[in-house]
Amino acid sequence: MLCEITVEAGYLKVDLFNRHTAEEMRDALAAIATEARKHRRSQILISVHASSPIFKVEQYGLPDYFRELGETSKCRIALTGDSRELRLSQQYIASVAQRNGVNLRSFSDEPAALQWFKDRRWLQDRRQRQEPREGKDRRQNWPRRSQESTRADSSGHTSA
């Protein structure tokens, strides 16, 4: 097995080649977790090439490794594969990981995964970027109108 880990702008890119056993996958995930902590990356793209699909996810303890990886930096993990069988197994891995609270998804190609990384709708990204508003931009606490002042008259108009 060959595991190439590259630090990119905003994410960690991992290329796995010739991975055939769950033990090789666990070793790769341990190395990925170490690099993610070291470089403080919260988004990880794992591209698997010329490898065997893994369908016995729970039996090999892979959810624990993904959970550790997801908890270390509260990250997003994207998986891609170069064959139909790999993508099917990655979809299964993603469903098991998501049930365990890990933000992991399977994608058909790298551009789709990178687009997910750029998606600003991810709540954790938005919470980190928000800053408290002060001054003119801050919402004013105007007094509310009473019910009597907003009652409609017989013509259907409201009086202020």
Side-chain angles (χ1 to χ4, degrees):
M1 175 192 74
L2 175 64
C3 179
E4 293 179 355
I5 302 174
T6 309
V7 180
E8 300 288 339
Y11 68 99
L12 197 67
K13 182 175 180 354
V14 180
D15 285 298
L16 288 176
F17 298 92
N18 300 316
R19 190 230 4 98
H20 296 288
T21 67
E23 184 178 338
E24 290 175 335
M25 186 65 177
R26 286 192 301 265
D27 292 344
L29 289 174
I32 294 166
T34 300
E35 291 298 311
R37 275 188 238 108
K38 179 180 172 183
H39 298 287
R40 295 183 177 163
R41 292 293 189 253
S42 63
Q43 301 182 121
I44 302 168
L45 171 61
I46 302 173
S47 297
V48 183
H49 312 276
S51 299
S52 301
I54 295 178
F55 288 102
K56 297 179 182 180
V57 177
E58 288 103 349
Q59 180 180 349
Y60 293 114
L62 293 182
D64 296 331
Y65 282 90
F66 280 120
R67 192 176 310 111
E68 176 190 338
L69 189 59
E71 287 176 357
T72 56
S73 60
K74 305 288 185 207
C75 63
R76 288 195 237 189
I77 304 168
L79 299 176
T80 65
D82 63 356
S83 72
R84 184 176 188 278
E85 292 81 18
L86 270 174
R87 287 191 298 278
L88 287 173
S89 71
Q90 289 174 345
Q91 289 172 358
Y92 176 65
I93 290 169
S95 69
V96 170
Q98 288 170 3
R99 277 186 295 188
N100 287 291
V102 179
N103 196 5
L104 184 143
R105 292 190 188 172
S106 174
F107 294 92
S108 58
D109 56 18
E110 287 185 19
L114 294 175
Q115 187 63 37
W116 179 53
F117 286 166
K118 293 176 185 176
D119 185 5
R120 292 189 40 94
R121 290 179 291 173
W122 189 42
L123 293 177
Q124 186 156 350
D125 283 348
R126 290 174 54 190
R127 285 186 193 135
Q128 289 175 351
R129 291 185 184 135
Q130 284 183 349
E131 298 171 0
R133 293 186 169 184
E134 296 179 11
K136 294 179 183 177
D137 291 341
R138 190 173 181 141
R139 177 184 265 179
Q140 298 293 322
N141 291 328
W142 299 102
R144 294 181 183 228
R145 291 188 257 169
S146 67
Q147 286 184 339
E148 289 93 28
S149 67
T150 57
R151 285 199 186 154
D153 60 14
S154 59
S155 63
H157 293 84
T158 58
S159 59

